Amino acid sequence: MTTATTGPAAAKAGGGAGKAKPATMAQALQRAMRDAMAEDPTVHVMGEDVGTLGGVFRVTDGLAKEFGEDRCTDTPLAEAGILGAAVGMAMYGLRPVVEMQFDAFAYPAFEQLISHVARMRNRTRGAMPMPIVIRVPYGGGIGGVEHHSDSSEAYYTATPGLHVVTPATVEDAYGLLRAAIASDDPVVFLEPKRLYWSKSDWSPEAPAAVEPIGKAVVRRRGTGATLITYGPSVPVCLEAAEAAQAEGWDLEVVDLRSLVPFDDETVCASVRRTGRAVVVHESTGFGGPGAEIAARVTERCFHHLEAPVLRVAGFDIPYPPPMLERHHLPGVDRVLDAVARLQWEAGS
Amino acid sequence: MDSLQQRSSTVQEPPGAVPTYRPTPPPAWQPRTDPTPLLPDTEPLRVLGTDAVADADPALLLRLYAELIRGRRYNTQATALTKQGRLAVYPSTHGQEACEIAAALALEERDWLFPSYRDTLAAVARGLDPVQALTLLRGDWHTGYDPHEYRIAPLCTPLATQLPHAVGLAHAARLKGDDVVALAMVGDGGTSEGDFHEALNFAAVWQAPVVFLVQNNGFAISVPLAKQTAAPSLAHKAVGYGMPGRLVDGNDAIAVHQVLTEAVARARRGGGPTLVEAVTYRIDAHTNADDATRYRAAGEVETWRAHDPILILERELTERGLLDEDGRRAAAEAAETMAAELRERMNADPVLDPMDLFSHVYAEQTTQLREQAAQLRAELEAEGEA
Ligand SMILES: Cc1ncc(C[n+]2csc(CCOP(=O)(O)OP(=O)(O)O)c2C)c(N)n1
């Protein structure tokens, strides 16, 4: 995996050296694409409404103006066509960055994703890599109507050949997207849409090394139990960890950042320290990512565990209408309930 | 042809060369014998403002007028409800009322409508309760009505995915011996999706009794038609599948009603599918959440306002003495009554039971869902006690 670094282009993009200005996650993603396009003429952005409008979340804002419509292209409205065309472009040496407008509108492209994008390298014995990034705004919590709130990560993680990445912070949004674009393999880049407007004092003017894809990070140190989470559930877990302190529970929070590849090392090191683990995500629980994670942790850390690995997930139902979504999404209370079920008195 | 033969005869053939190519159809090729022309006219059909309007039934003209006034009022009321936070989102059909309503009125009661998320007005014109039509957009449930009760499929959000459903239903009805027609609506952007093409192909191969109505309102969110298709018109797409394509002025309620009525009749008598493109314009933004100034000029909107579907119908009716001040007032008052009722009913908070989350996932609840339901019930009880 290539390690991308913010360079001079990033400094230019930020408007010269100076002190950091608060940026949203949407802006960080946009800067990541802009910097990558400035550095590498083979990077092309395409999708529905990404040009003149700058995307429905404005993540591609200004790219068409700066780089022209051939580099940031409003495509016809057809996801299978968009991703299929990206396959051909990648075959000819370009690095397409494709935007799917919403989670549930990526489904028409599954044929291309699963039958071609994910396995082209393998079937051609490495002759035809697919350096494509598929950006998918995903997840709920924004009051979107039907088909605008799916957590589809399990479909992607079940497909060998795809990297699956999801940032939870503004800094990671920039760094991970740069790394994804630099990757010679296809990356499904899941953007937690309810974090698009979250802010940070991050600025690309301060050059920062970007970690390669596949490294989890400990967001909060703790000794009593590990909350293993990613994407939109990271802020929920951090809030839960703060609230748990009042109960005398000292929680560690691990942000996976990448589901494929999976960072067993960071996760297991944490669980071995704490002896207890809860996996938290908003996608459905049955057959969801938490099932895989809990199994891995159990296989690797069994002798360190003082309780079974628990899961807090969305219910196993089609994503509900906005007026009911708060009952579906795992919130702080549900995380704390699970933590309580770790039978603290037994171990401590 | 002559000149071609002449030219080939002047070519000096070297001895032993292959014989001169004579264009003949490939052996399996069959000429098309169906006399129905497939190519659409070059101009969208207009009736209003032409001599043809004399043939239009005055009662129909007046009915359409009253419905358009109601439809416009519905649009402004629903848009107002988004501002009051009563609707999460509303994709307005301001400017498109004529295609929405005239198309829906071309159906018989036994027919089916397959609307997209934008087509609330068509659904309401067909008789759907105005509040139930807004359930999806208010966010209390995904579909607020029983589709069988109104013969209206759920308002469909993923683009063009309802079109194959319409083909399947129409086909099934024919297999059962019922003379039911399905009308499937889609936007100009939706015609780029694979599902659109597959639906048209199935419909033509099966000669299914289905009518596809494309409302070409100029944009798919921000993307103009020129970036969506290079075809001369969207109606032209019909030809390649082997069905007639019809082009109609979508702001001319009478023309839309006429073309749709013909297409529905054709489907009903076993003549197969038709693709209709109604040329219209979206006066409002894509939804209340969209900023249309980013991608279109204000002047463009103004030229279309001069071709407003209500304006041109009203002019016709007034000139023919079918509509006077009293008639206008009566239509406006009826619309106002509808709006007031809609407002009042939408201002009441919907009563929701969170346990409904688990109610209709399967015909019979799974063990896992029963466990999860119990978990939520316990949480709700704890909340209630707190
Ligand atoms: C499969 C799919 N892709 C993307 C979207 C997101 N989206 C919603 S409306 C829209 C534009 C639709 O344009 P058009 O088909 O012309 O219909 P209009 O909104 O103009 O009625 C888009 C891209 C969607 N709903 N479904």
Side-chain angles (χ1 to χ4, degrees):
Chain A
M1 186 75 51
T2 328
T3 299
T5 328
T6 60
K12 195 182 101 216
K19 77 176 182 49
K21 276 180 260 123
T24 63
M25 180 181 281
Q27 287 167 333
L29 292 164
Q30 180 251 314
R31 285 182 197 171
M33 279 182 275
R34 188 206 280 160
D35 293 351
M37 290 171 90
E39 280 171 27
D40 179 354
T42 68
V43 175
H44 283 242
V45 170
M46 57 202 243
E48 294 156 9
D49 302 288
V50 298
T52 313
L53 189 67
V56 292
F57 294 106
R58 305 289 184 268
V59 176
T60 56
D61 202 9
L63 297 180
K65 211 169 197 178
E66 187 168 345
F67 298 99
E69 286 186 21
D70 283 346
R71 296 279 309 280
C72 178
T73 310
D74 275 334
T75 64
L77 210 170
E79 295 76 11
I82 295 168
L83 191 52
V87 168
M89 289 163 74
M91 284 176 171
Y92 208 73
L94 299 185
R95 301 182 91 84
V97 179
V98 160
E99 177 174 301
M100 295 288 157
Q101 204 160 73
F102 277 91
D103 31 57
F105 305 144
Y107 301 150
F110 265 39
E111 166 73 22
Q112 289 295 336
L113 186 72
I114 281 141
S115 300
H116 297 292
V117 174
R119 62 174 84 195
M120 191 68 88
R121 172 185 290 279
N122 182 257
R123 76 213 272 218
T124 61
R125 292 177 180 270
M128 202 163 255
M130 286 283 117
I132 301 174
V133 179
I134 300 125
R135 296 180 34 241
V136 188
Y138 85 119
I142 62 156
V145 297
E146 193 183 12
H147 301 290
H148 288 77
S149 302
D150 284 14
S151 294
S152 26
E153 56 267 34
Y155 305 134
Y156 301 113
T157 56
T159 305
L162 302 175
H163 291 305
V164 184
V165 168
T166 176
T169 66
V170 176
E171 291 79 356
D172 275 1
Y174 180 86
L176 287 172
L177 187 51
R178 291 299 309 269
I181 296 171
S183 166
D184 287 332
D185 279 319
V187 180
V188 176
F189 195 88
L190 299 168
E191 300 173 2
K193 65 174 92 74
R194 71 173 133 131
L195 300 184
Y196 269 144
W197 303 279
S198 64
K199 279 193 179 163
S200 149
D201 280 344
W202 166 87
S203 163
E205 293 150 36
V210 172
E211 284 199 74
I213 288 173
K215 284 238 157 60
V217 63
V218 177
R219 290 266 174 238
R220 182 187 198 276
R221 287 278 170 193
T223 54
T226 303
L227 301 180
I228 305 167
T229 189
Y230 57 86
S233 295
V234 171
V236 175
C237 287
L238 288 171
E239 200 186 323
E242 288 307 313
Q245 229 162 10
E247 309 269 344
W249 301 328
D250 185 18
L251 302 182
E252 181 147 312
V253 178
V254 174
D255 173 3
L256 294 173
R257 305 202 281 196
S258 162
L259 295 172
V260 182
F262 189 84
D263 185 355
D264 289 299
E265 203 181 310
T266 304
V267 170
C268 290
S270 171
V271 175
R272 286 189 188 116
R273 276 197 300 276
T274 63
R276 296 178 178 88
V278 181
V279 189
V280 182
H281 59 62
E282 67 179 61
S283 116
T284 51
F286 196 90
E292 173 64 30
I293 296 165
R296 300 181 80 79
V297 169
T298 306
E299 284 167 357
R300 284 166 175 73
C301 311
F302 185 70
H303 295 296
H304 295 82
L305 284 172
E306 295 182 39
V309 181
L310 299 181
R311 284 174 289 163
V312 178
F315 293 127
D316 297 320
I317 58 173
Y319 197 88
M323 285 187 178
L324 289 174
E325 68 180 346
R326 70 190 173 88
H327 298 290
H328 168 73
L329 291 172
V332 170
D333 286 346
R334 227 168 260 170
V335 175
L336 291 176
D337 280 353
V339 171
R341 278 191 288 133
L342 290 172
Q343 298 169 328
W344 287 81
E345 47 299 342
S348 52
Chain B
M1 198 58 194
D2 275 342
S3 64
L4 253 182
Q5 274 164 358
Q6 268 169 18
R7 203 171 51 209
S8 60
S9 68
T10 59
V11 174
Q12 292 287 315
E13 299 283 352
V18 285
T20 316
Y21 174 67
R22 260 180 251 291
T24 57
W29 187 80
Q30 297 287 332
R32 190 175 165 268
T33 51
D34 174 2
T36 315
L38 299 188
L39 263 177
D41 292 334
T42 43
E43 287 276 317
L45 177 76
R46 280 186 308 125
V47 174
L48 286 171
T50 72
D51 293 342
V53 78
D55 300 335
D57 172 13
L60 177 66
L61 288 172
L62 284 168
R63 164 126 200 248
L64 283 169
Y65 175 75
E67 291 283 348
L68 291 194
I69 295 286
R70 247 163 56 95
R72 173 71 45 92
R73 190 64 189 86
Y74 188 97
N75 273 322
T76 52
Q77 186 56 58
T79 303
L81 287 167
T82 63
K83 295 191 181 121
Q84 294 149 18
R86 283 293 172 184
L87 272 182
V89 66
Y90 184 68
S92 167
T93 41
H94 186 126
Q96 297 178 225
E97 292 93 344
C99 3
E100 291 279 321
I101 289 162
L105 295 188
L107 293 177
E108 300 286 338
E109 208 174 311
R110 62 187 178 286
D111 296 334
W112 273 74
L113 177 70
F114 284 78
S116 85
Y117 68 96
R118 192 179 293 282
D119 304 318
T120 25
L121 223 52
V124 170
R126 186 165 167 66
L128 178 60
D129 171 6
V131 170
Q132 289 184 329
L134 291 174
T135 306
L136 169 79
L137 303 164
R138 175 159 68 176
D140 41 327
W141 201 258
H142 301 307
T143 302
Y145 53 94
D146 173 3
H148 287 281
E149 190 184 337
Y150 295 95
R151 282 164 299 281
I152 301 173
L155 295 165
C156 186
T157 304
L159 296 167
T161 49
Q162 77 278 23
L163 306 183
H165 308 169
V167 176
L169 180 135
H171 180 60
R174 208 171 54 143
L175 291 180
K176 278 193 164 183
D178 300 336
D179 67 341
V180 164
V181 175
L183 168 63
M185 301 176 97
V186 65
D188 42 300
T191 66
S192 295
E193 290 283 0
D195 275 350
F196 172 82
H197 300 278
E198 296 183 25
L200 261 67
N201 192 45
F202 268 65
V205 168
W206 285 352
Q207 287 292 286
V210 50
V211 178
F212 300 98
L213 174 63
V214 181
Q215 288 186 66
N216 171 7
N217 65 9
F219 290 90
I221 307 188
S222 70
V223 180
L225 188 69
K227 284 191 183 174
Q228 207 64 248
T229 182
S233 80
L234 294 170
H236 274 79
K237 291 181 185 261
V239 181
Y241 298 102
M243 73 177 75
R246 294 285 169 266
L247 196 54
V248 61
D249 180 341
N251 288 17
D252 181 334
I254 287 291
V256 174
H257 191 265
Q258 183 181 316
V259 169
L260 265 292
T261 304
E262 280 167 16
V264 167
R266 184 170 175 275
R268 204 183 306 284
R269 64 170 182 266
T274 305
L275 172 66
V276 181
E277 173 185 356
V279 182
T280 182
Y281 194 80
R282 194 192 73 206
I283 296 289
D284 287 343
H286 169 66
T287 68
N288 54 298
D290 171 42
D291 174 11
T293 60
R294 278 189 164 239
Y295 54 82
R296 72 180 184 192
E300 184 179 307
V301 182
E302 291 319 310
T303 58
W304 276 94
R305 275 191 207 279
H307 191 60
D308 183 277
I310 294 179
L311 197 72
I312 59 177
L313 181 59
E314 197 170 66
R315 195 180 294 146
E316 176 69 33
L317 287 168
T318 309
E319 273 171 22
R320 283 178 59 182
L322 291 168
L323 187 72
D324 56 12
E325 203 41 56
D326 285 348
R328 265 194 286 271
R329 193 177 316 117
E333 277 168 10
E336 211 45 57
T337 307
M338 178 277 305
E341 194 187 316
L342 180 62
R343 203 164 47 230
E344 195 183 307
R345 289 176 64 201
M346 290 294 291
N347 273 332
D349 285 320
V351 182
L352 300 178
D353 181 2
M355 297 314 293
D356 271 356
L357 290 179
F358 305 98
S359 303
H360 300 289
V361 183
Y362 300 101
E364 210 173 300
Q365 223 167 62
T366 61
T367 329
Q368 286 73 35
L369 281 190
R370 276 199 294 274
E371 278 169 16
Q372 291 171 22
Q375 182 196 335
L376 180 60
R377 188 172 294 115
E379 285 178 9
L380 293 168
E381 276 162 16
E383 233 175 72
E385 281 158 19

